[in-house]
Amino acid sequence: MTSLFPIIVAAATAPLAQGAPVTVPSGMAVSFHDMIRDDNGQGPVFRLRFVAPALAGESPDFDHLAADMDSLCAQLAVSATDDSESQPTRIVISLIESPVTFGEIAPQVTQVFEAYSLENGRCIWEAF
């Protein structure tokens, strides 16, 4: 049976082109970078990556970052998972100071991420 997950993800993020601005609670400038679906052997993982140039060279406030990532999950990831057959086991929201290829080591680029599970249409933060 073919999974509908890629179709749902594409439909949910179709309005977001690479570089499209996204509003977050902190007011930090954030833009959509890409979306990656993979499977770590424990079920589908849905990754949304966003560029946040303000991460460069400073130590951002964790509370603001957490609220921003929670909001990105709720705004964008939840709507992409409405089909119960294709629910990801984990959603990962990443903020990166500049675009990098997923999986490449880039120690000069600040990156922060949070993982979530979904419960009743809500993002639930998962401690790593």
Side-chain angles (χ1 to χ4, degrees), residues 40 42-47 88-92 115-117 126-128:
N40 62 6
Q42 298 175 357
V45 177
F46 180 62
R47 301 174 189 277
T89 56
R90 180 157 286 127
I91 295 170
V92 178
Y116 301 85
S117 58
E126 297 285 330
F128 280 100

Side-chain angles (χ1 to χ4, degrees), residues 14-80:
L16 283 181
Q18 189 172 40
V22 180
T23 302
V24 294
S26 72
M28 178 172 52
V30 174
S31 60
F32 178 72
H33 180 61
D34 64 7
M35 172 184 50
I36 300 166
R37 179 187 181 268
D38 63 22
D39 191 321
N40 62 6
Q42 298 175 357
V45 177
F46 180 62
R47 301 174 189 277
L48 287 140
R49 300 190 319 144
F50 300 87
V51 175
L55 294 177
E58 52 180 89
S59 296
D61 178 80
F62 176 77
D63 291 335
H64 287 131
L65 287 176
D68 288 349
M69 289 187 282
D70 290 351
S71 176
L72 290 167
C73 188
Q75 286 181 60
L76 302 171
V78 170
S79 64

